[in-house]
Amino acid sequence: MRGPLLSWGRYPNIPQLAHSVQWPEELAPARDKIFSETGEGALAFGMGRSYGDSCLAQSDQVIAMSGMGRMLAADWTRGVVKAQAGMTLDDLLRLALPAGWFLPVTPGTRFVTLGGAVANDVHGKNHHVRGTFGCHVRRFELVRSDEGLVECSPQQRPELFAATIGGLGMTGIVQSVEVQLQRVSSSLIDQRCIRFGNLDEFFAISAEHDSQHEYAVSWIDCLAVGDKLGRGHYIAADHASEGGLELAANAKLSVPFDPPVSLVNSLTLKPFNSLYYHRQRVKEVCSRTSYAPFFYPLDSVQHWNRIYGRKGFQQYQCVVPHQDGRNLIRAIIDQIAHSGTGSFLAVLKQFGDVESPGLLSFPMPGITLALDFPHSDKNSSLFQRLDALVHEAGGRLYPAKDAHMSAAHFQQAYPAWQEVEARRDPQLLSRFWKRVTQ
């Protein structure tokens, strides 16, 4: 066993007792042991990069999957790989990139497991082009307490395939994953950074440039108000056509301890946002960079979650439909700006209409906003106001980042939850799933 584990946001602060596994034959005994001793559901636990309670077991005992990170098969001609579910995206990239292949979809950290990428159906900066991670999963093996080992694909057990992608680990323990990679000629990224002065300008730039590039994302100043509300930097990018296939170096910086209070506060947030906005003095800058700073800027600092102090933090990520989306996002940002809290890196982007095979996938055609909040009692009232705006518009929150969503809002936003519940492994249950369904 390993020491107690927490979610990345460290709120709620509920330590998990880890049962480490190294081989597939250890999965079922570990699950059975937890269930028999506690009478509560276990859960597979990858790298713990989910922010809220979706990676916390109802039993507070998890099956730590990081020991199962082996490559099982690789066809570098077609870019099809099969690996154990505990392999991280970083480890996969270190094998695939020198062979000329890249992840078809990647979230904002490469330190998540393949199993976690499937369970949360993660998305990236190219959703408008390639959809979610689940769109590129060919098949996976699932260990269930009532059926044993089950192979799932769009053709084989399609109902379980759909329930597992984005199913938050409820349908079984993912043992291995087969995924289709995308061909690249270089590990470098050609990016275009455009500074915009307000939200209207963002939408104009996004409408013009999103369709021309593989990747598109924006940083916004979450505290700007008035005619500057929503100002920020729009970044569009593509894989470079040449430049080598070098791997990114490991992070050398680290936050060594928990400060007694959050370093993200009213004294630091406003000057940082202002400096970050003005760091680009001209309207547009084109440059070439390594893949790591573009896709994974926060991975450059180990344990960056510690900057929020011992109380941890909560992320608020929502998506609202395109219909009246501009006004809704404006209202949401206005609420956040006047609250005086938020994060250094607030992210705004538009999702496309590529449909996920998963029943509970978060992305939908619309506009998504994500930012972190130091945990505080004041968050509750702010989140209630934001939730009302999101759900009245038919939007939804991201379960992988959530620590507060109500059962009513979850069930409204994800009506297919009952299909997942019907296929839930009876020996698996997360605190999130218990909170929003039972």
Side-chain angles (χ1 to χ4, degrees):
M1 293 187 186
R2 292 160 51 189
L5 303 173
L6 294 170
S7 68
W8 190 247
R10 301 194 293 179
Y11 175 83
N13 191 309
I14 304 174
Q16 304 289 289
L17 181 63
H19 297 254
S20 296
V21 294
Q22 303 292 325
W23 301 100
E25 55 267 25
E26 298 172 350
L27 292 172
R31 177 204 60 215
D32 295 344
K33 174 179 172 62
I34 293 170
F35 189 76
S36 64
E37 291 182 354
T38 67
E40 298 277 10
L43 194 67
F45 190 101
M47 296 295 287
R49 290 303 177 108
S50 294
Y51 285 28
D53 57 358
S54 65
C55 64
L56 306 181
Q58 182 62 26
S59 64
D60 295 332
Q61 297 193 34
V62 295
I63 302 164
M65 299 290 293
S66 60
M68 284 185 53
R70 303 170 185 87
M71 181 68 79
L72 301 176
D75 182 342
W76 298 124
T77 302
R78 297 186 301 141
V80 176
V81 297
K82 179 181 179 181
Q84 291 178 327
M87 173 173 277
T88 66
L89 299 188
D90 182 56
D91 288 338
L92 177 54
L93 275 173
R94 293 187 178 280
L95 295 171
L97 195 51
W101 297 95
F102 200 79
L103 298 165
V105 170
T106 180
T109 175
R110 61 189 187 270
F111 300 119
V112 300
T113 62
L114 283 171
V118 170
N120 294 288
D121 196 17
V122 296
H123 58 273
K125 299 175 176 68
N126 61 346
H127 183 270
H128 62 293
V129 176
R130 299 184 187 271
T132 64
F133 190 84
C135 295
H136 308 276
V137 172
R138 295 166 55 90
R139 59 180 51 84
F140 51 78
E141 293 175 313
L142 202 61
V143 179
R144 288 182 58 92
S145 63
D146 53 359
E147 296 185 71
L149 185 65
V150 182
E151 183 166 310
C152 302
S153 72
Q155 296 77 35
Q156 190 171 358
R157 298 297 298 271
E159 78 293 340
L160 197 53
F161 183 82
T164 301
I165 293 177
L168 303 167
M170 292 297 94
T171 60
I173 302 170
V174 180
Q175 177 173 296
S176 68
V177 182
E178 183 178 290
V179 63
Q180 175 67 60
L181 303 175
Q182 70 158 316
R183 171 73 78 179
V184 295
S185 301
S186 171
S187 61
L188 300 178
I189 299 292
D190 288 330
Q191 62 180 18
R192 170 187 289 180
C193 301
I194 306 174
R195 194 175 76 173
F196 54 90
N198 54 45
L199 200 57
D200 286 335
E201 196 175 345
F202 158 78
F203 282 108
I205 294 170
S206 178
E208 179 182 356
H209 293 285
D210 278 11
S211 62
Q212 301 177 27
H213 298 280
E214 170 85 13
Y215 304 101
V217 68
S218 293
W219 167 87
I220 65 167
D221 179 352
C222 65
L223 294 185
V225 296
D227 59 2
K228 298 178 181 178
L229 186 140
R231 69 179 183 178
H233 298 160
Y234 173 89
I235 308 171
D238 299 281
H239 292 279
S241 58
E242 57 184 12
L245 294 164
E246 289 80 12
L247 295 171
N250 291 323
K252 296 181 179 179
L253 299 177
S254 178
V255 180
F257 60 88
D258 296 319
V261 297
S262 172
L263 300 181
V264 182
N265 54 56
S266 58
L267 296 177
T268 61
L269 192 55
K270 190 167 184 177
F272 175 89
N273 277 298
S274 180
L275 287 170
Y276 196 84
Y277 175 73
H278 289 289
R279 73 188 175 96
Q280 181 172 314
R281 297 186 176 277
V282 296
K283 179 72 173 178
E284 182 172 338
V285 175
C286 294
S287 61
R288 179 168 286 186
T289 184
S290 169
Y291 68 93
F294 175 74
F295 290 108
Y296 315 115
L298 292 176
D299 284 349
S300 63
V301 181
Q302 297 181 55
H303 307 296
W304 64 260
N305 55 341
R306 291 174 176 170
I307 69 172
Y308 288 94
R310 296 167 186 166
K311 292 183 178 180
F313 69 96
Q314 295 172 258
Q315 183 169 109
Y316 193 94
Q317 181 163 9
C318 64
V319 57
V320 297
H322 286 299
Q323 182 179 1
D324 203 31
R326 182 178 305 211
N327 291 331
L328 284 164
I329 290 294
R330 185 186 307 279
I332 290 168
I333 295 175
D334 187 62
Q335 287 278 351
I336 293 169
H338 283 95
S339 74
T341 186
S343 61
F344 293 148
L345 296 175
V347 176
L348 181 67
K349 62 185 175 184
Q350 302 211 52
F351 283 144
D353 57 5
V354 182
E355 188 173 353
S356 168
L359 296 179
L360 299 185
S361 185
F362 163 67
M364 60 187 284
I367 309 148
T368 181
L369 174 69
L371 66 166
D372 302 330
F373 295 85
H375 176 61
S376 165
D377 293 338
K378 294 186 294 184
N379 289 352
S380 179
S381 59
L382 172 62
F383 290 176
Q384 286 179 12
R385 297 194 299 273
L386 301 182
D387 288 352
L389 292 168
V390 170
H391 293 286
E392 185 177 350
R396 53 198 183 208
L397 306 183
Y398 190 15
K401 303 292 182 70
D402 178 70
H404 81 278
M405 192 184 339
S406 71
H409 283 167
F410 174 79
Q411 293 173 27
Q412 172 192 326
Y414 296 94
W417 73 270
Q418 290 176 309
E419 296 181 54
V420 176
E421 172 61 19
R423 295 176 175 87
R424 180 171 64 86
D425 187 306
Q427 291 192 10
L428 301 178
L429 186 62
S430 68
R431 284 183 168 270
F432 173 87
W433 196 257
K434 177 84 170 181
R435 173 165 61 86
V436 299
T437 68
Q438 300 179 22

